[in-house]
Amino acid sequence: MRHTYSLNEGWIFKKREVNLEKTTPKSVSEERINLPHTWNNEVNNSREEFSYQRTITLSENHKDDNLYLEFLGANSVCKVYLNDLFVGEHRGGYSAFRFDITELYDWDKENIVTVFVDNSQTKDVSPLNGDFTIYGGLYRSVNLICVGKDHFSLDYWGTDGIIIRSEVKEDKSGVVNLEVHTVCASDAAVNIKILDEGDHIIYSETIPSDQKNVAIELEGPNLWEGQESPYLYTLEATLQKNGTAVDQIKKTFGFRKCSLTPDRGFFLNDNHLRINGVAKHQDFEEVGNAVRNEHIEKDFELIREIGANAIRLSHYQHSQSVYDVCDKEGYVVWAEIPMMSLPDREGVLENAADQLTELILQNCHHPSICFWGIQNEIAMDGESLAMYQAVNTLNDRVRALLPTALTASANMYEVKNNSPLNFITDMVGYNLYFGWYYDSMQDLNAWIENFHTENPQVSLGISEYGADSNLAFHSDTPKVKDYSEEFQAVYHEQTYPIIKAKSYMWGSFVWNLFDFGSSVRNEGGTKGKNCKGLVTFDRNTKKDAFYYYKANWSAEPFIHICEKRFANRDKDTVDIKVYSNLKQVSLMINETDLGTVAGETVFSFENVRLQPGENKVRAYSGSYEDVASFNKVDAPDQSYIFVDPNPEINVKNWFTQERGEVDLFPSDAYSVLDTLGTLMENEEAWNVVKESAPDIAERSVPGAPVTLLWVANKMKNYFSEEAVKEINNKLIKITKS
């Protein structure tokens, strides 16, 4: 039988130290570490190759076994050596993979494993870019598996050799389509058992070990019903040789049917289910993506509290333990590959297809995964025929591997209603930020209505929406880009009801449940983080907007007084806002009763007068209450006001500063106000872009609809105002034909 040994302890991590004078080569430092591990944190966003090394020694009892090194996650390109002999390479940072070291293991000495992990930018390994930190390292567990010569295959796309595809037929019977991969002699057999939640055997059959496929039909199985009843079965596959068990695999699965209609949304087992979802990345403050079970449990503690019924596990394959919790607790999951950019470049599509194959085959037994995402915002730099063909190829890959699956895409605002990207996958999500990046919050309503009118056959939902907030900033007149906690709350109060009112949509996923690492960001008073989370990066503080969704989704009674961190008030009167899922809320201030307000989710008490000094507020309904203190001060607290040290590049200021000197944007010449697609059409103009911004030029595709100025404002760390002016001055010398 197989034995699995953890190799998480006792690694030597080697990294090159930066030589600031650059007069000598980088020195190498060593550090003893345990896994999981990443070298990236808030002050170190290195994207390069580092190494891990340790020794392994096995008992002679395993001398006749096959030996495998198992990696559950190494970002992004991983090369493995044993005793300085090359073992193999894996290109992709989020899936499990293994290498057979049986022939390379030296039984006469300690064996040295050396692992080179590289999170540098590549030409082919997705994500090629993204608004999240590309952490490096051996950030999930590493194991040594010892298994007999006859065993379930460990070489097939990182799976354990047993692939379960379950389905529910029209007559409500369940079918388990089992794919079995073995490495063994022809006289071996595989015993298959299915156990219910009470560990009772409800099915048993023995098949020849060379029978790759078997279909098992069960009458009237208990269905996986999401949070209502997340019923799971266990499949136990035992490889037998001469009647003796030599290897065994156990895994849980469930029976459920998923479907969509463009006029009513999502159905689970023919029952309508509105997706009230949150999105999350896997990282956690101070540990990056090297999370442990306690971090995962903390995440789910908060997901339970907010009352969500679905999770978008963005933007890559998450750990098996996360999907396992989703199975057990009944969350509907959107799983996806890190396809953020899809240039027509050799190797990109092939690598994406490989990552998609790993995602599906390693995870298709999870009943929680109802949506399989194949791309996210790939039209950032424009669309092309090659892009459409590539997305179709990925969609076809899902169909071939999992015929009953629902495929999903997440498009961005710039993707027009009639784009082919809206008609490839079964469901379409749009990442929309009306009122944050563009237009007003109320414009979202017209956009959704127009899209549905023009594309009534498309199953539409909102896959992202949100606004950044920094808990240090506050305002009693919140406005866009003040980064205040109050604006984020208002944003969600105005945006979510628009989404909720559209009965034809499958639902939405809030972006994001947690603040997360983003090495490309420096805004809103924070660096290296995207702060659209409803909870802080360390999971210690729930922002006010968290309680807004809890009031909408959770059945757990509660009351929350908003704006507690906005404690110092200089106005004589304030409006006090309360979130609750109760039917009415009463308010007291300094022991004075201010009455009761009836309503749903948001309760407002207007023009509440403050006394000098501390004012104690109590909101209550029956046995439920919350308290807060507001301090009447003489002048506004300046620490609450965000002053942007790196404001967006504003071409209006250029006119003010340089009027009369030169026409900054002549109509007959190119400029930064032209789209990337327009600039690409002129060789001389495009050479300016390639020389000044090679990374942008490399990612762009013909017809890119965004302006160069828009990209510069999106990537403020990459472009200074002076750099953009310099590019513009070069472009305006090139006359349009």
Side-chain angles (χ1 to χ4, degrees):
M1 298 292 283
R2 74 174 60 192
H3 293 83
T4 300
Y5 300 99
S6 172
L7 298 182
N8 283 350
E9 297 185 353
W11 291 86
I12 300 297
F13 172 60
K14 298 183 180 182
K15 60 181 178 180
R16 291 176 293 277
E17 299 294 343
V18 177
N19 173 29
L20 297 179
E21 289 76 24
K22 298 182 179 178
T23 56
T24 59
K26 291 181 179 180
S27 61
V28 177
S29 67
E30 295 186 0
E31 177 185 358
R32 183 171 292 275
I33 59 96
N34 295 326
L35 306 182
H37 176 265
T38 179
W39 58 77
N40 298 115
N41 53 45
E42 291 186 22
V43 296
N44 172 20
N45 289 307
S46 299
R47 296 193 63 183
E48 53 184 306
E49 183 182 78
F50 296 127
S51 70
Y52 297 81
Q53 191 172 78
R54 63 157 287 168
T55 60
I56 55 174
T57 303
L58 281 169
S59 162
E60 292 281 335
N61 295 336
H62 294 298
K63 202 163 187 178
D64 294 328
D65 286 345
N66 282 26
L67 311 178
Y68 287 86
L69 287 174
E70 176 181 65
F71 298 82
L72 299 185
N75 209 10
S76 300
V77 176
C78 180
K79 296 180 181 179
V80 180
Y81 293 79
L82 184 66
N83 303 323
D84 294 328
L85 298 174
F86 180 65
V87 175
E89 178 186 60
H90 184 263
R91 302 181 69 79
Y94 304 99
S95 56
F97 58 94
R98 302 183 191 90
F99 294 122
D100 187 343
I101 61 169
T102 308
E103 299 301 321
L104 299 179
Y105 189 87
D106 190 336
W107 290 95
D108 296 324
K109 66 177 184 180
E110 280 190 333
N111 288 255
I112 300 175
V113 177
T114 306
V115 182
F116 293 94
V117 186
D118 191 349
N119 67 336
S120 303
Q121 184 81 46
T122 71
K123 298 289 187 181
D124 64 316
V125 179
S126 291
L128 301 180
N129 57 48
D131 183 9
F132 57 94
T133 299
I134 310 299
Y135 297 94
L138 293 177
Y139 69 96
R140 294 184 190 146
S141 292
V142 175
N143 299 307
L144 176 61
I145 301 175
C146 304
V147 65
K149 298 300 181 184
D150 299 301
H151 59 272
F152 291 108
S153 176
L154 294 167
D155 296 314
Y156 189 68
W157 293 103
T159 71
D160 55 17
I162 299 293
I163 299 167
I164 302 172
R165 300 173 176 90
S166 63
E167 59 180 302
V168 180
K169 300 175 69 174
E170 290 299 322
D171 63 1
K172 305 300 182 184
S173 63
V175 178
V176 180
N177 295 299
L178 199 61
E179 184 178 333
V180 181
H181 295 267
T182 60
V183 177
C184 58
S186 59
D187 59 344
V190 177
N191 176 254
I192 300 165
K193 290 185 176 71
I194 296 177
L195 294 80
D196 64 15
E197 284 196 339
D199 286 334
H200 303 111
I201 297 173
I202 61 171
Y203 178 88
S204 181
E205 178 186 6
T206 299
I207 62 172
S209 62
D210 59 357
Q211 183 176 334
K212 183 178 178 181
N213 297 295
V214 58
I216 302 167
E217 187 165 341
L218 299 177
E219 291 187 10
N222 291 301
L223 300 184
W224 188 87
E225 298 277 12
Q227 292 176 328
E228 183 178 316
S229 177
Y231 197 95
L232 295 173
Y233 290 88
T234 299
L235 185 134
E236 181 182 291
T238 305
L239 183 63
Q240 299 173 335
K241 188 73 178 296
N242 300 321
T244 300
V246 294
D247 197 12
Q248 187 177 76
I249 299 294
K250 290 184 179 180
K251 61 204 310 181
T252 57
F253 70 99
F255 294 98
R256 89 287 185 270
K257 174 185 176 184
C258 299
S259 59
L260 289 160
T261 68
D263 58 339
R264 292 192 60 198
F266 176 65
F267 290 80
L268 180 62
N269 302 323
D270 296 325
N271 297 314
H272 182 260
L273 181 66
R274 177 77 174 192
I275 298 298
N276 298 327
V278 293
K280 72 177 292 289
H281 275 285
Q282 66 181 350
D283 60 346
F284 203 105
E285 192 163 50
E286 295 186 351
V287 300
N289 62 347
V291 296
R292 299 177 182 272
N293 288 336
E294 59 264 31
H295 302 111
I296 293 171
E297 175 52 35
K298 181 62 177 179
D299 281 3
F300 278 99
E301 175 187 317
L302 290 160
I303 294 170
R304 293 181 203 111
E305 181 179 351
I306 201 171
N309 63 14
I311 309 172
R312 184 180 178 198
L313 292 173
S314 318
H315 281 302
Y316 37 73
Q317 183 170 332
H318 287 233
S319 71
Q320 283 295 314
S321 57
V322 172
Y323 299 116
D324 286 341
V325 176
C326 292
D327 288 347
K328 293 174 184 176
E329 299 192 8
Y331 296 105
V332 169
V333 169
W334 173 319
E336 59 190 333
I337 57 172
M339 176 45 63
M340 323 294 291
S341 179
L342 190 49
D344 186 15
R345 184 193 304 154
E346 184 178 359
V348 175
L349 179 59
E350 290 80 1
N351 180 264
D354 286 349
Q355 292 198 52
L356 183 59
T357 301
E358 290 174 325
L359 173 71
I360 292 173
L361 294 182
Q362 292 177 22
N363 295 285
C364 60
H365 62 286
H366 291 291
S368 58
I369 303 179
C370 297
F371 314 130
W372 299 87
I374 61 175
Q375 65 93 355
N376 177 79
E377 294 188 351
I378 58 171
M380 175 71 75
D381 300 314
E383 301 177 35
S384 67
L385 180 60
M387 177 182 290
Y388 306 145
Q389 293 171 336
V391 175
N392 269 296
T393 296
L394 295 176
N395 198 64
D396 290 343
R397 175 64 62 94
V398 181
R399 295 270 183 268
L401 294 172
L402 204 54
T404 61
L406 295 177
T407 57
S409 290
N411 290 327
M412 60 190 304
Y413 172 68
E414 285 75 16
V415 175
K416 303 306 180 185
N417 292 359
N418 62 353
S419 168
L421 292 176
N422 288 321
F423 309 108
I424 298 173
T425 53
D426 295 307
M427 64 187 292
V428 171
Y430 259 81
N431 301 344
L432 298 175
Y433 293 90
F434 284 96
W436 182 248
Y437 291 128
Y438 41 76
D439 302 334
S440 72
M441 288 176 272
Q442 294 307 313
D443 288 329
L444 173 63
N445 185 71
W447 187 95
I448 294 173
E449 292 288 351
N450 290 337
F451 185 96
H452 184 62
T453 298
E454 293 182 21
N455 299 314
Q457 77 279 29
V458 174
S459 293
L460 175 69
I462 307 300
S463 39
E464 289 183 23
Y465 65 103
D468 290 80
S469 73
N470 181 331
L471 294 184
F473 303 133
H474 302 282
S475 175
D476 51 15
T477 56
K479 60 184 179 181
V480 64
K481 294 301 177 76
D482 67 5
Y483 294 93
S484 69
E485 184 176 11
E486 289 70 36
F487 180 81
Q488 185 191 47
V490 169
Y491 172 93
H492 285 287
E493 286 176 28
Q494 295 191 25
T495 300
Y496 181 66
I498 295 172
I499 298 170
K500 185 179 178 181
K502 309 304 180 189
S503 60
Y504 48 80
M505 293 206 304
W506 45 257
S508 59
F509 291 93
V510 178
W511 191 261
N512 196 288
L513 184 53
F514 309 111
D515 292 345
F516 58 91
S518 180
S519 58
V520 301
R521 285 193 172 243
N522 182 11
E523 63 173 299
T526 59
K527 187 175 182 179
K529 287 192 289 189
N530 185 312
C531 291
K532 291 185 179 67
L534 306 181
V535 181
T536 54
F537 197 11
D538 60 9
R539 276 59 165 181
N540 287 336
T541 306
K542 305 161 202 168
K543 304 177 188 180
D544 282 342
F546 175 93
Y547 293 96
Y548 172 72
Y549 285 99
K550 182 175 178 178
N552 275 278
W553 295 342
S554 176
E556 176 191 359
F558 81 99
I559 291 175
H560 172 77
I561 299 173
C562 300
E563 304 176 15
K564 291 191 184 84
R565 282 169 283 274
F566 187 11
N568 296 331
R569 305 296 186 101
D570 65 305
K571 302 288 185 4
D572 291 333
T573 62
V574 297
D575 295 339
I576 295 178
K577 181 169 63 178
V578 176
Y579 292 147
S580 179
N581 52 10
L582 301 172
K583 295 303 180 185
Q584 61 181 28
V585 174
S586 302
L587 192 75
M588 295 186 69
I589 183 168
N590 301 322
E591 302 303 324
T592 300
D593 191 347
L594 299 183
T596 300
V597 172
E600 292 184 359
T601 67
V602 183
F603 301 81
S604 296
F605 296 84
E606 299 178 351
N607 298 317
V608 176
R609 184 163 294 278
L610 299 181
Q611 299 175 0
E614 183 181 20
N615 293 262
K616 294 184 177 181
V617 176
R618 174 175 176 255
Y620 62 95
S621 182
S623 60
Y624 302 99
E625 69 171 11
D626 193 22
V627 296
S629 293
F630 298 102
N631 303 315
K632 176 67 171 64
V633 295
D634 295 331
D637 187 331
Q638 296 300 313
S639 70
Y640 291 158
I641 302 172
F642 170 63
V643 179
D644 193 349
N646 185 27
E648 290 196 356
I649 299 164
N650 186 346
V651 297
K652 293 179 181 178
N653 289 340
W654 296 5
F655 282 116
T656 302
Q657 297 166 11
E658 303 180 25
R659 183 172 293 149
E661 297 179 11
V662 65
D663 186 354
L664 296 178
F665 311 107
S667 59
D668 61 346
Y670 293 95
S671 75
V672 294
L673 298 184
D674 284 307
T675 66
L676 293 174
T678 298
L679 294 170
M680 197 179 299
E681 292 172 354
N682 181 280
E683 183 177 0
E684 188 178 358
W686 194 240
N687 282 336
V688 170
V689 179
K690 289 195 291 186
E691 292 169 4
S692 305
D695 288 350
I696 304 304
E698 186 176 327
R699 296 207 315 259
S700 299
V701 298
V706 295
T707 67
L708 183 55
L709 180 64
W710 183 90
V711 174
N713 276 324
K714 192 80 170 170
M715 302 176 64
K716 290 193 287 184
N717 284 358
Y718 190 91
F719 292 96
S720 66
E721 183 165 335
E722 290 305 314
V724 177
K725 281 186 178 181
E726 183 178 345
I727 296 172
N728 192 69
N729 288 337
K730 292 178 180 179
L731 290 173
I732 63 177
K733 296 176 182 178
I734 305 171
T735 303
K736 291 182 177 179
S737 56

